C-alpha cells in the first residue's frame, strides 16, 4: 500500500478555510509584493500622499480654497506656501482641496469603466455568436471614436453637466480598450481544463463566469483599472482645462483653467500653472507605476533579473588524468 | 452478426441476447453503461468548403460494474471524443448512450442531469490546467460535495473531503486540502482530480489519459490507485490512453479504436496475446519494451492515422493494411465476435483466415 | 587521455590549439546555474561524459533532472538567468563555453545541429518548409538557388518525405512529417553531431517507432553522432549505444545501454526500469518510485535520491556521493563504493 500514498512534505499549517482569513492572507501577499518592487513602492507612496490630502485636507491647510480674501497674485511666502491667485485665493489650499475632486473623478470613472469592461468583455466571450458580434461591434466603434470632439458635442447639449456628466462620458468612451483585452483573455481561457471540469461537475454558467473565471483574471482587471485611471486623470484634466464640467469647483483641472484664463504664465504667476500640472502628472505616474508593478507581480517573466554582485568566472582548469 | 445487443433489438432479431460479460454483473442486468452506434460529427471549414469530420462513428461498447475498461488508440482515433460524449460535454450526432439501462437523451431536468453527472464524473489529462490555480485545492472537492450531496452540513463536507483525500493517498489530508495547486506535484494534482470525482460517489469514472503527462516513476502509483478504487470502492473506470502497456497493467478489458471506430475489443490478455485486427498487431509491434529482444527489422509502417473527413465506405485502415482485399475497399467492416467475448472489425479476420500482418 | 592547455575563456578558440581526444564531444565537469530572485538554483552539477564519432548516447531522466538544460548548455543556447558556471564543452577539442556568437557560427549547423522537442514550436508557421531550409543554408553561405533546391530535396528524401512538400506550410503536414522535416533540416550540412531533445514525444507510438528507425538508419548512412534526450527509457533502449541516467542535475549512472538495462547499478535506474509495465510476459504488480524530485533551490546534504531510495543507508543522507567506476559503468551510489555491490 505504500506505493499508493503520496506524502506531502513541509510544515503543516492549521487548516484555515474561512473567507476572512483568506482575504487577510491575500492582502498580506499584496503588501509584501508592493514593498519588494521599487516601482510599486514609489507609486503606492505617491498615491497614499494624494489620498491623504483628499480625505483629510483640513489637517494640512486651514485656509478656505474658494475664499477670495487674500491679497491678489502674491508670491510664495510663509503664509501662502504657493502664493495666491489673481482672485485672492490661497493656492496651497486649492492644491490640497483640489486633490479630492481630481482623485474622485479618476477613481470613480476608473472603477465604473472597469466594471463595464468586465461585464461586456466577459459576456461577449462567454455568450459567443450573435451577442458577441453585437457587443464587439459597439465596443470597437466606441474605441475609435475621437473623445474630444464627442465631448464638445455633448457639452453643447449639456452645458451644466458638472462632474457627473464628465465621469459618464469618460466611462462610456474609456471602457472599450479594457473590454477588448478582457474578452481576449476570457476567450483564451474558454477551453482550460478546469473550466471544463466545472462544467462536467454540473456548475451553472453564471457561477462559472463569476467564481471560476473572474478570479483568475484579477491581475488583468486590476491592470485595466489602473490603466484606465491614468488616462482618465489626464483626460479629465484636459476637459476641465477647456471649461468642461464646472469651472467653479476646486480641482487641479479647474486650477489650470483659471490659470489659463488669468494668463498666469504671462503675468509671472508660474506656480499657479505649474503646481496643478505637475500634480496631475504625478497622479498619473502613481497609477502607472502601480500598473507596472502589477504586471511584474502577475507575470514573473517580466521581473528584472537581479544578478548577484560576484559572478563566478567560468572555471578553466587543467584536466587531470582520465 | 453478434455485437453487444440490447434487449429490444435482440427480440427483434430473434437472436439470443448476449450477456454483458464482466465481473460482478448478473447475466440479466443491463451493463452499467452501454453505447449503441454512438456517432459524433463536427462541421469544419467555412462557407463553400463545408466538410464533416467524423470524429466518432457507430461506436458500440459496454462497461460493466467493478471493471476497468481501457479505451486505447492513437491521436485522432476518437477516444477523447467518446469520453466527452459520455460526460455530456458534446451531444451525439446519432446513436444513444444507456446508463443503467436508461437512455441519456431522456434526461431533461436539472436534477436528472446532476444525478448523472455525479454518477459519471471525469478526470482530466493535464494536472497543470485541470485545477483552478487561484483557489485552494479544497475548492473543487467541496463544490462537488455541495452540489451533489446537499444533505451534508458544512462540517460533514469537510470531514468527507478529508476522508476522500486519505483514500486517494494525499496525507495528511487536512494539510493538503488547504494548499494551493502550485504547491503540489503533478502526481498529487492528479490524485486531487480523482478525489473530486470520488466525492460524488460515482459508479463510473471517465479518466482521460490521467497519467500521460506525469513522470514515468509516478504513473505506477496512480495506476495502482485506479486498481484499488475498483477493488475497494467498487467504481468502474473507463481508462483512455494511448499507452498499451499501462492499459495492460490496469485494465480488465481493452478496446482499440482507429479513425473513429472500434477496431477490436475483448479481455486485455486475449487481445494482447492474439490480436485479430491488423491495426492492433501494428500497434503492438510498435510498443517499445525494454525487456524484449532488440529487434529493429520487420515491416515498419510509416503511415499515420487519418483525419476522417467525409469518408467513403470501406475499412479506414485499408491503405496501411498489407492484407487488404477487395471487400475492404467497398464495405465498412462491422464488429464481429471472433472468439468468446473477443470482437474485431475486419473482413479478413471475420472470414476465418489467420491475420498476421505486422 | 588529453593534451591540454588552460583556455583563456574570453578569446575565441583560435589562439589555443585544440585538445586532441578523438571524441566528437567531451563534456567536463559542466555546471549550470539559474540565477533567480530566490537565489542560485543548480540545474546541472558536475556532469562529465564524452561522445565518440558515430555513437548514439541516450540521456534519460524525468522532469527537473536537468537534461534539457544540459542540452541547451552544450549547444550554447542558454539565455539569462541560466548560465554556465563551471566546466568545459569540448567540441572536437575546442571549448565552446565563452565563445561569441560569431565564433560559434562556424560550428553551428555545419558540425553540430539541434532538433527541438516540438516541431510546431521550432518551425516558422508562416513560412514554407522550403524557405526555412533556404534560410538555414543562406545563413551558412550557400547562395546558389540550384544548390539550395538540390540539397533541400535530397535531405527530404533522406527522411522519406516527398520533395514536393517543400512548398507546404508546417500546419499542412502531419506531426510525424513535421518532425521528419526538422531532422532533415538538421541534416543539411551533414554535421558530425546531432543533438535531439525529445523529438518523438509529441508523436504516437507507431510514428515514434518509425521515426526512431529512420534516425538510426540515417546514422548508419551518414555516420554522425547523436545525443538523444528523452524521458522514455524504453524507447531509447533499442537504439542507443550508451545510456546516461540523470537525477536532480547529476549523473546517476552512465554505461553501455544493454548493461544498464540488464543490471542497473543505481537504485533510481532500477526503479525507473521497474516503472515500465510490460506488454509481454507475466503481469506483475509494480511500485514505481513514490515521492518527487528534490527542490533544486535548496542545498542538499548527501545523496539527492536518498529521500526516495528503497535501499537507502544512514550515511547516504550525510555524505556527498562521488561517481564510482564499476567495470565500464559510472554510478553515483554509496553502495558501489568499493567497485562492487557493498551489502551493508
Amino acid at each position: 500500500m505504500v506505493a499508493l500514498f503520496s506524502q506531502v512534505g513541509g510544515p503543516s499549517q492549521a487548516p484555515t478555510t474561512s473567507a476572512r482569513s483568506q482575504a487577510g492572507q491575500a492582502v498580506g501577499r499584496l503588501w509584501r509584493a508592493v514593498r519588494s518592487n521599487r516601482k510599486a513602492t514609489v507609486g503606492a507612496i505617491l498615491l497614499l500622499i494624494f489620498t491623504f490630502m483628499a480625505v483629510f485636507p483640513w489637517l494640512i491647510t486651514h485656509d478656505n480654497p474658494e475664499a477670495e480674501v487674500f491679497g491678489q497674485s502674491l508670491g510664495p511666502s510663509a503664509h501662502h506656501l504657493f502664493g495666491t491667485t489673481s482672485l485672492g485665493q490661497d493656492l496651497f489650499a486649492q492644491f490640497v482641496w483640489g486633490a479630492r475632486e481630481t482623485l474622485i473623478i479618476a477613481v470613480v470613472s476608473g472603477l465604473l469603466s472597469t466594471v463595464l469592461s468586465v461585464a461586456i468583455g466577459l459576456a461577449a466571450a462567454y455568450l459567443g455568436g450573435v451577442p458577441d458580434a453585437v457587443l464587439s461591434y459597439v465596443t470597437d466603434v466606441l474605441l475609435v471614436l475621437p473623445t474630444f470632439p464627442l465631448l464638445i458635442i455633448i457639452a453643447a447639449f449639456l452645458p451644466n453637466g458638472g462632474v457627473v456628466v464628465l465621469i459618464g462620458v469618460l466611462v462610456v468612451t474609456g471602457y472599450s480598450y479594457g473590454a477588448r483585452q478582457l474578452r481576449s483573455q476570457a476567450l483564451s481561457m474558454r477551453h482550460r481544463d478546469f473550466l471544463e471540469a466545472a462544467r462536467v461537475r454540473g456548475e451553472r454558467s453564471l457561477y462559472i463566469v463569476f467564481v471560476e473565471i473572474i478570479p483568475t483574471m484579477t491581475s488583468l482587471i486590476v491592470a485595466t483599472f489602473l490603466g484606465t485611471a491614468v488616462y482618465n486623470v489626464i483626460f479629465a484634466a484636459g476637459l476641465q482645462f477647456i471649461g468642461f464640467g464646472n469651472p467653479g469647483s476646486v480641482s487641479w483641472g479647474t486650477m489650470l483653467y483659471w490659470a489659463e484664463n488669468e494668463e498666469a504664465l504671462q503675468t509671472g504667476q508660474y506656480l499657479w500653472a505649474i503646481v496643478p500640472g505637475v500634480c496631475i502628472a504625478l497622479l498619473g505616474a502613481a497609477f502607472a507605476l502601480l500598473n507596472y508593478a502589477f504586471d511584474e507581480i502577475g507575470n514573473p517573466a517580466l521581473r528584472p533579473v537581479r544578478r548577484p554582485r560576484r559572478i563566478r568566472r567560468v572555471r578553466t582548469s587543467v584536466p587531470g588524468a582520465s | 452478426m453478434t455485437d453487444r445487443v440490447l434487449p429490444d433489438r435482440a427480440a427483434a432479431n430473434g437472436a439470443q441476447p448476449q450477456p454483458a460479460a464482466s465481473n460482478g454483473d448478473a447475466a440479466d442486468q443491463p451493463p452499467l453503461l452501454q453505447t449503441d452506434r454512438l456517432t459524433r460529427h463536427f462541421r469544419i471549414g467555412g462557407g463553400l468548403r463545408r466538410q464533416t469530420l467524423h470524429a466518432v462513428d457507430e461506436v458500440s461498447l459496454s462497461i460493466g460494474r467493478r471493471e476497468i475498461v481501457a479505451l486505447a488508440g492513437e491521436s485522432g482515433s476518437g477516444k477523447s471524443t467518446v469520453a466527452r460524449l459520455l460526460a455530456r460535454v458534446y451531444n451525439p450526432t446519432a446513436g444513444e448512450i444507456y446508463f443503467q439501462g436508461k437512455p441519456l437523451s431522456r434526461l431533461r431536468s436539472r436534477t436528472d442531469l446532476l444525478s448523472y453527472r455525479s454518477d459519471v464524473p471525469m478526470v482530466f489529462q493535464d494536472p497543470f490546467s485541470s485545477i483552478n490555480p487561484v483557489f485552494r485545492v479544497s475548492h473543487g472537492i467541496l463544490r462537488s460535495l455541495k452540489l451533489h450531496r446537499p444533505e451534508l452540513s458544512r462540517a460533514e463536507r469537510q470531514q468527507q473531503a478529508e476522508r476522500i483525500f486519505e483514500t486517494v493517498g494525499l496525507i495528511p489530508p487536512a494539510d493538503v486540502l488547504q494548499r494551493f495547486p502550485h504547491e503540489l506535484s503533478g502526481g498529487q494534482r492528479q490524485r486531487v482530480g480523482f478525489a473530486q470525482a470520488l466525492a460524488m460517489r460515482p459508479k463510473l469514472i471517465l479518466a482521460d489519459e490521467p497519467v500521460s503527462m506525469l513522470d514515468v516513476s509516478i504513473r505506477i502509483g496512480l495506476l495502482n490507485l485506479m486498481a484499488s478504487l475498483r477493488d475497494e470502492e467498487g467504481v468502474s473506470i473507463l481508462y483512455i490512453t494511448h499507452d498499451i502497456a499501462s492499459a495492460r497493467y490496469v485494465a480488465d478489458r481493452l478496446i482499440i479504436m482507429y479513425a473513429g471506430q472500434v477496431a477490436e475489443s475483448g479481455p486485455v490478455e486475449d487481445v494482447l496475446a492474439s490480436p485479430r485486427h491488423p491495426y492492433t498487431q501494428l500497434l503492438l509491434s510498435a510498443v517499445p519494451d525494454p525487456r524484449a529482444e532488440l529487434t529493429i527489422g520487420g515491416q515498419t509502417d510509416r503511415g499515420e492515422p487519418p483525419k476522417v473527413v467525409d469518408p467513403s465506405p470501406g475499412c479506414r485502415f485499408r491503405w496501411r493494411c498489407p492484407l487488404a482485399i477487395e471487400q475492404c475497399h467497398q464495405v465498412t467492416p462491422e464488429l464481429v465476435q471472433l472468439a468468446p467475448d473477443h470482437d474485431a472489425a475486419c473482413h479478413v479476420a471475420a472470414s476465418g483466415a489467420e491475420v498476421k500482418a505486422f | 587521455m588529453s593534451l591540454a592547455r588552460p583556455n583563456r575563456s574570453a578569446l575565441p578558440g583560435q589562439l589555443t590549439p585544440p585538445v586532441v581526444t578523438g571524441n566528437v564531444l567531451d563534456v567536463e565537469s559542466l555546471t549550470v546555474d539559474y540565477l533567480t530572485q530566490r537565489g542560485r538554483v543548480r540545474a546541472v552539477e558536475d556532469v562529465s561524459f564524452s561522445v565518440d564519432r558515430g555513437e548514439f548516447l541516450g540521456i534519460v531522466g524525468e522532469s527537473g533532472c536537468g537534461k534539457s538544460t544540459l542540452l541547451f548548455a552544450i549547444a550554447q543556447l542558454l539565455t539569462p538567468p541560466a548560465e554556465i558556471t563551471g566546466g568545459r564543452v569540448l567540441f572536437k577539442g575546442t571549448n565552446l563555453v565563452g565563445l561569441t556568437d560569431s565564433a560559434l557560427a562556424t560550428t553551428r549547423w555545419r558540425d553540430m545541429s539541434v532538433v527541438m522537442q516540438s516541431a510546431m514550436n521550432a518551425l516558422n508557421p508562416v513560412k514554407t518548409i522550403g524557405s526555412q531550409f533556404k534560410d538555414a543554408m543562406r545563413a551558412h553561405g550557400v547562395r546558389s538557388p540550384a544548390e539550395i533546391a538540390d540539397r533541400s530535396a535530397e535531405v527530404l528524401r533522406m527522411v522519406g518525405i516527398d520533395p514536393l512538400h517543400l512548398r507546404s506550410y508546417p500546419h499542412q503536414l502531419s506531426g510525424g512529417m513535421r518532425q521528419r522535416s526538422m531532422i532533415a533540416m538538421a541534416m543539411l550540412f551533414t554535421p558530425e553531431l546531432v543533438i535531439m531533445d525529445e523529438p518523438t514525444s509529441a508523436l504516437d507510438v507507431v510514428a515514434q517507432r518509425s521515426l526512431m528507425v529512420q534516425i538510426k538508419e540515417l546514422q548508419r548512412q551518414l555516420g554522425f553522432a547523436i545525443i538523444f534526450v528523452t524521458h522514455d527509457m524504453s524507447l531509447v533502449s533499442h537504439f542507443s549505444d550508451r545510456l546516461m541516467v540523470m537525477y536532480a542535475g547529476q549523473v546517476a549512472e552512465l554505461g553501455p545501454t544493454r548493461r544498464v538495462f540488464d543490471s542497473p547499478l543505481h537504485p533510481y535506474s532500477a526503479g525507473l526500469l521497474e516503472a515500465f509495465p510490460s506488454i509481454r510476459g507475466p503481469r506483475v504488480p509494480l511500485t514505481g518510485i513514490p515521492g518527487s524530485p528534490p527542490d533544486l533551490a535548496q542545498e542538499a546534504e548527501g545523496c539527492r535520491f536518498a529521500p526516495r531510495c528503497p535501499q537507502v543507508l544512514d550515511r547516504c543522507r550525510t555524505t556527498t556521493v562521488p561517481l564510482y567506476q564499476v567495470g565500464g559503468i559510472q554510478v553515483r551510489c554509496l553502495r558501489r563504493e568499493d567497485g562492487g555491490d557493498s551489502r551493508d
Side-chain angles (χ1 to χ4, degrees):
Chain A
M1 279 298 261
V2 177
L4 289 178
F5 289 95
S6 170
Q7 282 278 8
V8 177
S12 90
Q13 307 164 4
T16 48
T17 46
S18 72
R20 271 203 1 228
S21 60
Q22 278 199 35
Q25 287 195 6
V27 170
R29 268 196 300 270
L30 197 65
W31 174 246
R32 259 175 278 133
V34 168
R35 249 193 359 191
S36 64
N37 185 310
R38 274 190 222 124
K39 294 192 193 95
T41 320
V42 171
I45 291 174
L46 274 174
L47 201 56
L48 261 138
I49 294 174
F50 290 138
T51 313
F52 187 78
M53 276 169 53
V55 176
F56 305 116
W58 56 84
L59 290 179
I60 307 177
T61 172
H62 300 294
D63 298 321
N64 184 343
E66 287 167 353
E68 303 172 5
V69 294
F70 306 103
Q72 298 172 346
S73 306
L74 296 175
S77 64
H79 288 295
H80 307 287
L81 276 173
F82 288 155
T84 60
T85 69
S86 59
L87 302 161
Q89 299 156 318
D90 181 43
L91 267 175
F92 185 69
Q94 285 207 324
F95 156 67
V96 171
W97 283 86
R100 179 177 283 191
E101 184 169 305
T102 310
L103 213 59
I104 287 177
I105 293 173
V107 170
V108 170
S109 64
L111 275 174
L112 286 177
S113 191
T114 305
V115 166
L116 203 57
S117 297
V118 170
I120 292 186
L122 253 65
Y126 206 73
L127 295 173
V130 173
D132 180 15
V134 169
L135 286 171
S136 298
Y137 187 72
V138 170
T139 305
D140 286 344
V141 166
L142 285 170
L143 185 67
V144 299
L145 229 47
T147 323
F148 258 55
L150 175 67
L151 292 168
I152 293 172
I153 295 174
I154 295 180
F157 285 96
L158 301 165
N160 296 322
V163 172
V164 173
V165 175
L166 180 58
I167 291 180
V169 171
L170 285 172
V171 168
V172 165
T173 55
Y175 88 88
S176 39
Y177 188 68
R180 278 172 64 97
Q181 275 197 315
L182 289 165
R183 176 179 168 274
S184 305
Q185 177 81 335
L187 278 178
S188 76
M189 291 194 38
R190 249 171 110 179
H191 295 291
R192 292 285 292 278
D193 277 352
F194 65 82
L195 293 180
E196 207 167 311
R199 252 170 272 160
V200 173
R201 198 160 67 213
E203 306 279 13
R204 294 194 149 91
S205 292
L206 266 173
Y207 169 88
I208 294 181
V209 170
F210 278 101
V211 181
E212 301 278 341
I213 298 185
I214 289 188
T216 57
M217 301 203 319
T218 34
S219 55
L220 189 59
I221 294 175
V222 169
T224 305
F225 165 70
L226 291 171
T228 316
V230 174
Y231 272 104
N232 288 352
V233 163
I234 313 243
F235 255 124
L239 292 173
Q240 288 177 319
F241 179 70
I242 61 172
F244 201 82
N246 181 8
S249 64
V250 177
S251 76
W252 295 343
T254 53
M255 280 173 75
L256 281 175
Y257 171 79
W258 284 111
E260 204 272 331
N261 231 356
E262 300 291 314
E263 298 178 349
L265 282 177
Q266 289 92 314
T267 56
Q269 299 167 80
Y270 301 119
L271 282 177
W272 196 1
I274 291 176
V275 166
V278 166
C279 290
I280 289 167
L282 281 178
L283 182 60
F287 284 122
L289 286 170
L290 279 175
N291 204 357
Y292 276 121
F294 267 94
D295 276 346
E296 287 174 8
I297 292 169
N299 184 358
L302 290 175
R303 291 186 197 155
V305 177
R306 289 205 188 87
R307 313 191 127 242
R309 235 64 81 50
R310 269 189 60 229
I311 300 177
R312 288 175 59 192
R313 298 243 162 263
V314 173
R315 245 189 297 129
T316 53
S317 52
V318 179
S322 133
Chain B
M1 182 201 99
T2 50
D3 56 0
R4 305 242 170 261
V5 181
L6 300 164
D8 36 336
R9 287 180 105 225
N13 291 353
Q16 288 291 338
Q18 296 289 330
S22 46
N23 350 347
D25 252 3
D28 49 356
Q29 231 184 348
L32 183 62
L33 184 132
Q34 191 164 7
T35 70
D36 179 33
R37 299 196 172 272
L38 191 59
T39 303
R40 173 72 202 187
H41 297 164
F42 292 100
R43 276 173 306 187
I44 55 174
L48 298 166
R49 293 178 324 150
R50 264 295 159 75
Q51 293 171 310
T52 315
L53 175 69
H54 288 232
V56 175
D57 258 337
E58 314 255 312
V59 164
S60 301
L61 54 85
S62 72
I63 302 167
R65 286 165 184 75
R66 268 199 143 88
E67 75 170 346
I68 297 182
V69 174
L71 187 59
E74 297 175 300
S75 56
S77 59
K79 56 193 195 299
S80 286
T81 312
V82 167
R84 277 161 177 76
L85 283 165
L86 296 179
R88 299 211 53 148
V89 174
Y90 301 137
N91 286 322
T93 315
E96 184 61 80
I97 303 170
Y98 295 89
F99 182 64
Q100 295 185 305
K102 299 197 202 77
L104 285 191
S105 55
R106 299 251 185 85
L107 295 180
R108 303 278 178 186
S109 70
R110 183 163 161 80
T111 7
D112 284 343
L113 276 169
L114 265 184
S115 163
Y116 175 73
R117 287 198 187 288
S118 78
D119 283 332
V120 186
M122 190 148 150
V123 174
F124 292 85
Q125 179 178 8
D126 186 350
F128 300 98
S129 78
S130 58
I131 308 179
N132 195 327
V134 303
F135 292 118
R136 290 176 203 274
V137 148
S138 54
H139 170 78
I141 191 169
L142 290 176
R143 278 303 298 179
S144 295
L145 287 168
K146 190 151 182 212
L147 274 174
H148 298 282
R149 292 170 67 178
E151 71 278 6
L152 295 177
S153 75
R154 191 171 157 146
E156 284 170 342
R157 281 202 286 270
Q158 178 72 18
Q159 233 180 23
Q160 277 298 309
E162 288 182 22
R163 187 190 77 80
I164 293 169
F165 263 44
E166 199 159 342
T167 311
V168 300
L170 291 169
I171 48 182
D175 184 67
V176 184
L177 271 169
Q178 51 85 46
R179 290 198 177 215
F180 284 94
H182 64 263
E183 298 176 71
L184 302 182
S185 70
Q188 288 164 340
R189 278 184 255 199
Q190 286 302 79
R191 287 176 192 257
V192 170
F194 276 102
Q196 288 179 9
L198 270 184
M200 312 195 224
R201 286 189 298 194
K203 309 224 168 45
L204 168 67
I205 295 182
L206 305 169
D208 186 7
E209 305 214 45
V211 297
S212 51
M213 291 189 70
L214 300 179
D215 277 336
V216 168
S217 59
I218 309 292
R219 288 182 195 176
I220 298 286
L222 264 304
L223 294 175
N224 286 341
L225 171 66
M226 284 165 62
S228 89
L229 288 180
R230 170 197 55 199
D231 297 332
E232 282 156 43
E233 305 280 326
V235 178
S236 290
I237 300 182
L238 179 66
Y239 173 54
I240 294 166
T241 180
H242 61 266
D243 176 15
I244 303 281
S246 69
R248 189 228 180 171
Y249 181 74
V250 77
D252 303 304
R253 292 203 353 249
L254 177 60
I255 301 177
I256 307 269
M257 279 191 74
Y258 183 77
Q261 297 171 320
V262 175
E264 186 162 355
S265 88
V268 68
E269 292 299 332
D270 284 358
V271 174
L272 293 179
S274 44
R276 308 288 176 133
H277 196 289
Y279 175 64
T280 314
Q281 294 177 354
L282 170 62
L283 213 52
L284 292 178
S285 74
V287 174
D289 193 350
R291 296 184 198 84
E293 288 298 313
L294 274 150
T295 44
I296 305 186
Q299 213 164 20
T300 44
D301 166 274
R302 193 168 287 165
E304 286 173 26
K307 266 200 166 52
V308 191
V309 178
D310 296 329
S312 51
C315 176
R316 292 178 189 172
F317 190 61
R318 58 189 188 270
W319 294 282
R320 296 165 75 185
C321 185
L323 304 176
I325 56 179
E326 173 85 26
Q327 200 186 10
C328 303
H329 293 270
Q330 317 267 339
V331 182
T332 310
E334 298 264 340
L335 208 54
V336 173
Q337 189 178 60
L338 299 174
D341 202 25
H342 188 161
D343 305 342
C346 173
H347 294 300
V348 178
S351 71
E354 199 191 335
V355 173
K356 244 200 157 82
F358 297 97
Chain C
M1 243 230 318
S2 50
L3 315 161
R5 281 201 215 149
N7 193 350
R8 279 170 219 101
S9 55
L11 306 169
Q14 297 111 316
L15 296 186
T16 38
V19 176
V20 178
T21 59
N23 291 327
V24 156
L25 188 76
D26 290 286
V27 175
E28 295 172 2
S29 304
L30 192 61
T31 305
V32 179
D33 290 336
Y34 278 80
L35 304 165
T36 67
Q37 277 188 334
R38 284 198 301 164
R40 190 203 57 175
V41 178
R42 184 145 283 189
V44 172
E45 178 162 337
D46 198 26
V47 169
S48 306
F49 64 90
S50 47
V51 181
D52 210 346
R53 289 174 201 286
E55 189 179 12
F56 192 131
L57 173 72
I59 300 182
V60 164
E62 298 179 306
S63 45
C65 72
K67 57 191 195 295
S68 288
T69 309
L70 176 64
L71 210 69
F72 275 65
I74 294 172
Q76 303 304 308
L77 289 172
L78 288 177
T79 53
E83 212 178 318
I84 296 179
T85 49
R88 306 198 289 171
V89 175
L90 297 173
F91 181 75
K92 294 204 290 189
T94 313
N95 189 4
L96 297 181
V97 180
L99 290 186
T100 59
D101 270 345
S102 46
L104 284 169
T106 46
T107 316
R108 276 193 179 141
W109 229 256
R110 282 193 172 278
D111 302 325
M112 170 165 76
S113 60
V114 181
V115 177
M116 291 299 185
Q117 179 167 4
S118 167
M120 262 333 260
N121 288 344
L123 289 174
N124 190 333
V126 299
K127 289 181 125 183
T128 61
I129 305 288
S131 70
Q132 297 189 47
F133 282 17
K134 187 167 83 168
D135 280 347
M137 284 196 270
R138 291 183 66 150
H140 287 275
V142 180
R143 301 230 168 256
S144 125
E147 212 178 321
I148 292 177
D150 278 344
R151 184 66 185 159
S152 302
E154 197 180 336
V155 292
L156 273 192
R157 260 185 243 113
M158 262 199 261
V159 295
I161 298 180
D162 193 326
L164 64 84
H165 282 290
L166 281 172
R167 277 181 279 138
S168 303
Y169 288 90
H171 67 268
Q172 294 174 314
L173 302 177
S174 70
M177 290 174 77
R178 280 197 291 263
Q179 286 300 119
R180 283 166 196 271
S181 38
M182 289 286 296
I183 292 177
M185 193 143 72
M187 298 285 110
L188 279 173
F189 295 100
T190 44
E192 297 197 41
L193 172 66
V194 182
I195 303 177
M196 304 195 181
D197 186 7
E198 306 221 43
T200 59
S201 61
L203 303 177
D204 288 318
V205 72
V206 177
Q208 222 176 43
R209 185 174 180 87
S210 77
L211 190 68
M212 291 303 297
V213 167
Q214 179 86 78
I215 291 173
K216 196 73 181 165
E217 177 63 24
L218 279 173
Q219 186 188 35
R220 198 188 58 84
Q221 277 179 13
L222 302 173
F224 51 85
I226 297 182
I227 299 180
F228 194 98
V229 168
T230 179
H231 66 274
D232 192 341
M233 209 173 179
S234 57
L235 177 71
V236 82
S237 64
H238 292 185
F239 301 96
S240 59
D241 301 314
R242 281 194 307 147
L243 193 65
M244 180 162 107
V245 180
M246 283 189 72
Y247 186 77
Q250 298 173 322
V251 175
E253 191 163 348
L254 169 60
T257 307
R258 215 58 237 165
R259 287 186 52 194
V260 174
F261 265 87
D262 291 337
S263 38
L265 295 176
H266 194 288
Y268 176 63
S269 321
L272 209 54
L273 260 180
E274 284 299 302
F276 284 92
S278 172
I279 59 169
R280 298 159 187 107
R283 213 156 96 152
V284 290
L286 302 172
T287 48
I289 310 174
S292 39
D295 182 1
L296 295 176
Q298 305 190 337
E299 303 271 349
E301 264 200 343
C303 176
R304 302 254 172 96
F305 189 60
R308 300 168 78 185
C309 184
Q311 300 172 34
V312 64
L313 308 165
D314 275 331
R315 58 196 178 98
C316 292
R317 295 183 225 272
T318 49
T319 330
T320 313
V321 187
L323 264 178
Y324 298 113
Q325 280 272 32
V326 179
I329 302 188
Q330 293 175 31
V331 57
R332 194 183 295 270
C333 179
L334 286 180
R335 285 186 171 271
R336 312 288 169 202
E337 196 167 14
D338 41 14
D341 186 6
S342 58
R343 300 186 194 283
D344 276 330

